[in-house]
Amino acid sequence: MLRWIIFFIIYLVLGFYSFQAVKTASRYPWVHYLFIALYILVIANFLYQFMGTDGGRVLSRPKSYAFGFLLAMLAFQIITIIFLFSEDIFRLLLGVYQKIFSTEKEFSIPSRRRFLSLIALGVAALPFGALLMGMYKGKYNYKVLKYQLEFDDLPDAFDGYRITQISDVHSGSFDNRKKVAYGVDLINKQQSDVILFTGDMVNNKTEEMRPWADLFSTLEAKGGVYSVLGNHDYGDYVDWESEAEKKQNLKDLKALQKEMGFDLLLDSHRYLEKDGDRIALLGVENWGRGGFKKAGDLEKAKEGVAKDDFKILMSHDPSHWEDVVINDDYHFHLTLSGHTHGMQFGVEIPGWIKWSPVKWRYKYWAGIYEELGQFINVNRGFGFIGYPGRVGIWPEISVITLKKKGLT
């Protein structure tokens, strides 16, 4: 309870400060009242959603939106306060200067300048509006990102082989069937040889996927649809009534994936064959750094795979690639991961800039990277969780074409 009181006090202080910009910029009382009403509504909804029992770290849809609206309001307040605080320092110094050097020795602080408050509100409106738009539209703004990777030892028959990768569906967050259906159809339209899903089918429970299972069951590729588990798929963030209930949930999710036509790789491998050639497809359970489940067993997945086979590895968390895979005595030509979501927030202009706060935690957080002659693609995710939107980092469908060097 104490942390909620402290949080509420901080929120009130920030709101009071940012309200000064609204009062200075507008002389209309209805504008002031509108700001106050919105301000109170956002915090009241957030406290209502989060102060009750939460069943563990489960973030329901109403909680996600409460968090999203609070995030937008805090962004507005912080940007406004940066401007106001800077002006207040200047006003205070000017007041001290006048007190010392003016003939009138009465100390006074100049009034706030209206134009600066207008600028502050205008700048603050940008992230505020972007976060709201990300909740309304950005989360379903699917993008198909295409890559071509060349390898010296790719089997000849696989030259031009197309892989579609999706990751981090997080079906418990979906709220628009038409948009999700469009995304699934977009995956199929790529007409790739194989579809690979790299984990986090649900937020917490198998039941979240059932309303969407019929849509994802329509995914098809002549080489098959394969999957691995992500950290959210194990149900670790729920306060289950018993361990048996938790185990049953995971068992149900595995069964559901099979019903949907997904071949789930659990520290195992398959061979993809074409015209007499083959490549090894390996999949491990979740292995993550920083408190995430380390269930994946790469050694077990490798059993029966030759060192000189061409290998594609599916591993949900890219920290596994950094900490284990690229230094393994086997050469994994291509690893496919997800997990980071690109934090669902950032700035990307191809060829110019790629930035998100998530880069401070993950060295490999979005797109293609190469180390020691091995590639990884970190998919930005098909769905969303936590903040119910995306800003600048859009939901991704990766299409990777394998090419053999020297072949025309």
Side-chain angles (χ1 to χ4, degrees), residues 71-271:
L71 191 64
M73 180 61 75
L74 287 174
F76 179 87
Q77 292 175 346
I78 291 170
I79 297 297
T80 304
I81 288 170
I82 289 174
F83 278 85
L84 294 189
F85 187 68
S86 300
E87 184 190 21
D88 284 349
I89 294 176
F90 176 78
R91 291 167 61 216
L92 179 61
L93 293 176
L94 188 59
V96 172
Y97 176 84
Q98 291 176 343
K99 170 69 174 176
I100 296 173
F101 297 103
S102 174
T103 55
E104 298 180 8
K105 297 300 182 181
E106 183 178 343
F107 178 74
S108 64
I109 297 178
S111 301
R112 295 187 186 278
R113 291 171 291 180
R114 185 168 182 265
F115 84 92
L116 191 61
S117 291
L118 286 170
I119 292 174
L121 294 176
V123 174
L126 295 177
F128 179 77
L131 287 166
L132 293 182
M133 185 58 69
M135 295 163 63
Y136 171 67
K137 188 175 182 179
K139 60 188 176 184
Y140 296 122
N141 187 26
Y142 299 110
K143 300 295 182 184
V144 177
L145 300 186
K146 298 184 177 182
Y147 307 98
Q148 181 171 295
L149 301 179
E150 294 187 344
F151 303 89
D152 291 315
D153 53 349
L154 179 70
D156 291 352
F158 284 87
D159 182 60
Y161 195 80
R162 285 163 59 91
I163 299 167
T164 288
Q165 180 199 0
I166 56 172
S167 192
D168 299 86
V169 164
H170 289 288
S171 53
S173 299
F174 289 152
D175 54 11
N176 189 319
R177 187 173 181 85
K178 184 177 179 180
K179 295 291 188 181
V180 175
Y182 166 77
V184 171
D185 184 57
L186 194 58
I187 296 170
N188 278 332
K189 282 184 176 179
Q190 305 314 306
Q191 297 183 327
S192 291
D193 294 283
V194 68
I195 296 174
L196 306 180
F197 171 65
T198 47
D200 277 0
M201 181 75 75
V202 298
N203 293 348
N204 299 286
K205 297 181 177 181
T206 301
E207 65 190 43
E208 299 166 2
M209 188 61 195
R210 297 196 186 280
W212 312 98
D214 61 326
L215 287 179
F216 285 86
S217 295
T218 65
L219 292 177
E220 58 180 358
K222 52 190 173 184
V225 181
Y226 299 87
S227 62
V228 292
L229 297 176
N231 56 295
H232 280 267
D233 293 324
Y234 296 89
D236 288 341
Y237 311 129
V238 178
D239 285 338
W240 300 96
E241 292 186 3
S242 67
E243 186 64 26
E245 186 181 13
K246 179 181 177 181
K247 289 181 178 179
Q248 185 62 47
N249 177 73
L250 181 57
K251 183 179 179 180
D252 290 343
L253 182 60
K254 293 176 181 178
L256 181 60
Q257 290 205 28
K258 184 176 181 180
E259 292 172 19
M260 292 164 52
F262 286 45
D263 187 351
L264 180 61
L265 303 184
L266 301 169
D267 296 332
S268 59
H269 69 272
R270 306 284 187 270
Y271 276 101

